Amino acid sequence: MIGSGLKKLAKELGMQVGSGVAYGNVRGYNTTFCEGSGWKRIDIATQFTDPEQRNGLQAEINAADLQRQYRVQELIIHPKTISVVFLDNPGTMKKLRAFIDWFYPLLGQHGAAKANICPECGAQMTTEAWYLIDGVAYCMHEACAGRVQAQLDQNEQQRQEEDTGSYAQGFVGALLGAALGAVVWALVLMWGYVASIVGLLIGWLANKGYNLFKGKQGKGKVAILIVVIILGVLVGTLAADAITLAQMIDSGELLDLTYGDIPSTILFMLAVDNEYLTATLSNMAMGLLFAGLGVYALLRKAGQEVSGVKMKKLN
């Protein structure tokens, strides 16, 4: 997606906006703007025919304090793109503009391919044909775009053929991972905190468990992760109360109860104590909210991984 700040800058630079990104020729280089929660990104579609020129640009990058000067969290020179991620805080647009003023002239000094060069075949472009590939806009020949699409289709078919996992195995692994996260959630809740980082931990463990148990890398993976993450939060919330009751039994405060009575005691309290029920539901709702904030990016990434690389014509 793209917000008002990047849209305004895109308009100033003569870029187009569509499919959640801004794209166009920025100072001689094909560029994509996009953003998400807490970050903004610039992708420059370019490459280097001479490795020494690429190394020279990398040396300039290494010599600068990009985080302090421009709030750059990550800058990676890929074979066909340069990806720059900015920390998105108030004032980031000013830093982003300053980065463009500093960085784009360096591209020319180090021989980066210009906007009129097709990123696929390396020949000059005579007409504009823009394609969005995995969130980055490229300007290329239509024939070259056809070859790229054919290769992507072949790669996806091969990936599906090699994926021998099952959703059942993945569910078991994800459930075990979420269970471990639920224990941490319960302990944190006992200390009086609810944190999105713990929700992220549940999601990360669930995803790790899914992959370790060789779950199928299909669209059902995201649904499974969502279900087990919700279960992890709910179980973790109840487990916090279970631990509290176990401590009270151990200390002698609840003489009539044993550890085996804990599950039925919690169910009884939920049924007859409206105050306890309200507090528990409130903790669960808050937990789900914070977990959602924590795992959104993880689930989005998982969804992109199982859906494969997408290609779309922009104009």
Side-chain angles (χ1 to χ4, degrees), residues 29-51:
Y29 296 92
N30 290 330
T31 301
T32 308
F33 293 161
C34 65
E35 63 184 299
S37 178
W39 57 268
K40 296 183 187 296
R41 194 176 78 218
I42 296 176
D43 291 292
I44 305 165
T46 187
Q47 50 193 309
F48 298 86
T49 56
D50 184 352

Side-chain angles (χ1 to χ4, degrees), residues 13-26:
L13 296 172
M15 303 171 74
Q16 302 178 66
V17 176
S19 298
V21 302
Y23 62 97
N25 184 328
V26 175

Side-chain angles (χ1 to χ4, degrees), residues 141-312:
H141 299 113
E142 290 195 16
C144 292
R147 288 194 294 271
V148 171
Q149 183 65 71
Q151 184 62 54
L152 291 176
D153 292 342
Q154 182 180 338
N155 293 344
E156 178 61 17
Q157 182 178 351
Q158 182 179 349
R159 184 185 72 83
Q160 291 180 5
E161 290 174 353
E162 293 174 351
D163 183 7
T164 58
S166 74
Y167 287 129
Q169 292 174 220
F171 179 77
V172 172
L175 195 61
L176 291 174
L180 290 176
V183 173
V184 179
W185 186 271
L187 294 174
V188 171
L189 194 60
M190 281 184 60
W191 296 330
Y193 299 99
V194 178
S196 59
I197 188 66
V198 185
L200 177 60
L201 176 64
I202 293 176
W204 184 86
L205 288 170
N207 185 58
K208 192 72 173 177
Y210 187 96
N211 293 333
L212 285 174
F213 276 64
K214 301 188 183 303
K216 184 176 178 61
Q217 299 300 315
K219 293 181 179 179
K221 175 182 178 179
V222 177
I224 288 173
L225 291 178
I226 291 173
V227 169
V228 299
I229 289 168
I230 291 173
L231 288 174
V233 172
L234 299 184
V235 171
T237 303
L238 295 175
D241 292 339
I243 294 172
T244 300
L245 288 174
Q247 290 175 333
M248 294 174 72
I249 293 171
D250 189 56
S251 66
E253 293 179 64
L254 298 174
L255 296 174
D256 296 332
L257 294 180
T258 65
Y259 297 132
D261 296 326
I262 290 175
S264 58
T265 300
I266 291 177
L267 291 175
F268 177 77
M269 291 171 64
L270 288 172
V272 302
D273 191 334
N274 288 333
E275 185 176 343
Y276 174 71
L277 175 63
T278 300
T280 301
L281 292 177
S282 176
N283 285 338
M284 287 179 175
M286 188 67 69
L288 291 173
L289 172 62
F290 276 80
L293 293 173
V295 303
Y296 172 77
L298 184 147
L299 291 174
R300 185 170 181 269
K301 182 180 178 182
Q304 291 172 339
E305 288 173 350
V306 300
S307 63
V309 177
K310 300 297 183 182
M311 181 174 179
K312 175 184 179 181

Side-chain angles (χ1 to χ4, degrees), residues 119-137:
E120 183 62 20
C121 69
Q124 286 197 346
M125 297 282 300
T126 55
T127 58
E128 283 194 354
W130 285 90
Y131 298 85
L132 191 68
I133 305 175
D134 207 20
V136 179

